[in-house]
Amino acid sequence: MRMLFSIGAVLVAGVLAGGDVAGIAAPGPRFEPSPKSEPHKNQPQRLAADKDAQTVDVELILAVDVSYSMDMDELAVQREGYAQAIQSKEFLQALKLGPNGRIAVTYFEWAASSDQKIIIPWRLVDGPETADAVAAEIMKTPIRRASRTSISGAITFAMPLFDEDPYRGLRRVIDISGDGPNNNGGPVTVARDAALEKGIVINGLPIMVKEPSYSTMDIDNLDFYYEDCVIGGPGSFVITIKDRDKFKEAIRTKLLMEVAGRTPERPVMRVSDKEPRVNCMIGEKIWSDRWGR
């Protein structure tokens, strides 16, 4: 079941509360490093220890929209939000609640279907020191913007990154933030379904801090679009940002939920899972109507 809720519905205390962890997807088949060729009588024990050292609670891909519909202030706040969230006391507490107490994270920015840039390659986060290093790396990279919005391109780019990760996660999650619908590349639902077939969970952070504008191709009910067309997998969820002042809080809450493996308590009531509330090709339609291509 997929779920949708606003930032006001989530409390950090709830994320960090005890109890069974909900919404954890079973890990898919993963690449394991080959054993060293040098024989040794203690090799099985060493290999087991190496395997344990490579295991993390979640492999988390942060896929961040940098399309022109995002203004420079929003991009700066977005960057700061991720950096501060990873360094926060709440995040580090949630990290330690996992069975391994560590995660692997990579951070890339995206726009058009052919425009993705990795800002942070895979990094292990297991405490304040490694969290600070990732946050510093995020903040030192110059902010950029680019044309078009291809959520499908971001998902397609993200999927093979899991194969490059040296760590093995109990869960694999793509975390997508954006302020508009897909309008470039393949259909978003096709990319989403391909990820779900691989056992990957997709969560969303629709950014709705501005009124819909003709010039930026914004749409009403972007949260419904993300719910119906973008996210998926066991325990997947959407956190909506409708207030600029809540931007950083929303990012922190989303990361806490993902690290702790939590899901919202209240599901969205829908007429039918077979009847999406929005047209998943709405972004492509708007683009075609305006520019004829």
Side-chain angles (χ1 to χ4, degrees):
M1 177 179 292
R2 291 174 290 162
M3 302 185 184
L4 172 72
F5 59 105
S6 67
I7 182 62
V10 182
L11 297 177
V12 170
V15 176
L16 300 180
D20 295 336
V21 176
I24 297 181
R30 301 286 287 113
F31 171 79
E32 297 290 351
S34 59
K36 297 179 180 179
S37 58
E38 179 183 357
H40 193 282
K41 63 180 181 179
N42 293 326
Q43 188 178 45
Q45 291 90 336
R46 286 209 320 272
L47 291 176
D50 290 344
K51 182 176 180 181
D52 288 342
Q54 296 293 311
T55 303
V56 295
D57 297 321
V58 60
E59 296 172 75
L60 179 60
I61 295 178
L62 302 176
V64 180
D65 181 9
V66 293
S67 60
Y68 279 115
S69 57
M70 297 277 289
D71 62 42
M72 293 300 290
D73 181 57
E74 286 176 333
L75 293 174
V77 172
Q78 184 171 241
R79 280 278 189 89
E80 292 170 4
Y82 280 104
Q84 292 177 12
I86 290 172
Q87 293 177 295
S88 71
K89 176 182 67 177
E90 295 88 354
F91 177 86
L92 294 172
Q93 288 174 344
L95 189 69
K96 291 305 179 184
L97 290 179
N100 297 288
R102 55 185 179 264
I103 68 168
V105 62
T106 184
Y107 179 110
F108 76 86
E109 296 175 338
W110 57 271
S113 61
S114 59
D115 189 340
Q116 299 89 23
K117 180 180 179 181
I118 294 177
I119 305 301
I120 309 290
W122 284 108
R123 295 282 188 268
L124 180 71
V125 178
D126 59 359
E129 184 175 337
T130 49
D132 289 346
V134 169
E137 201 166 350
I138 290 174
M139 292 303 297
K140 75 179 183 181
T141 305
I143 294 174
R144 73 183 186 99
R145 290 197 294 171
S147 61
R148 306 297 296 268
T149 300
S150 183
I151 301 173
S152 60
I155 295 173
T156 300
F157 179 82
M159 284 189 284
L161 295 182
F162 288 112
D163 298 325
E164 301 171 11
D165 183 11
Y167 302 98
R168 182 183 188 278
L170 303 180
R171 293 173 285 131
R172 296 180 294 169
V173 177
I174 300 173
D175 176 333
I176 295 184
S177 64
D179 71 341
N182 193 77
N183 63 39
N184 180 244
V188 65
T189 51
V190 173
R192 177 199 62 192
D193 293 346
L196 300 189
E197 289 179 0
K198 295 177 179 292
I200 298 168
V201 173
I202 302 175
N203 296 327
L205 185 75
I207 301 165
M208 305 169 64
V209 298
K210 294 178 293 191
E211 290 296 324
S213 167
Y214 180 89
S215 62
T216 58
M217 292 188 60
D218 297 333
I219 64 170
D220 292 318
N221 300 320
L222 182 65
D223 46 356
F224 291 169
Y225 176 87
Y226 262 71
E227 164 72 7
D228 293 351
C229 309
V230 178
I231 71 167
S236 59
F237 62 86
V238 162
I239 290 182
T240 302
I241 304 178
K242 295 184 178 181
D243 184 341
R244 190 183 292 262
D245 293 337
K246 298 291 186 180
F247 214 120
K248 294 179 181 179
E249 181 184 349
I251 291 173
R252 184 177 71 249
T253 301
K254 181 159 61 76
L255 291 185
L256 287 173
M257 300 285 286
E258 287 162 341
V259 169
R262 297 292 178 177
T263 59
E265 295 181 359
R266 292 177 296 180
V268 169
M269 300 303 294
R270 295 176 54 179
V271 175
S272 169
D273 285 339
K274 296 181 180 179
E275 297 178 7
R277 293 161 291 184
V278 295
N279 178 0
C280 290
M281 296 292 290
I282 188 172
E284 290 86 344
K285 183 179 186 305
I286 293 173
W287 185 273
S288 177
D289 289 346
R290 292 183 188 176
W291 288 279
R293 62 185 188 276

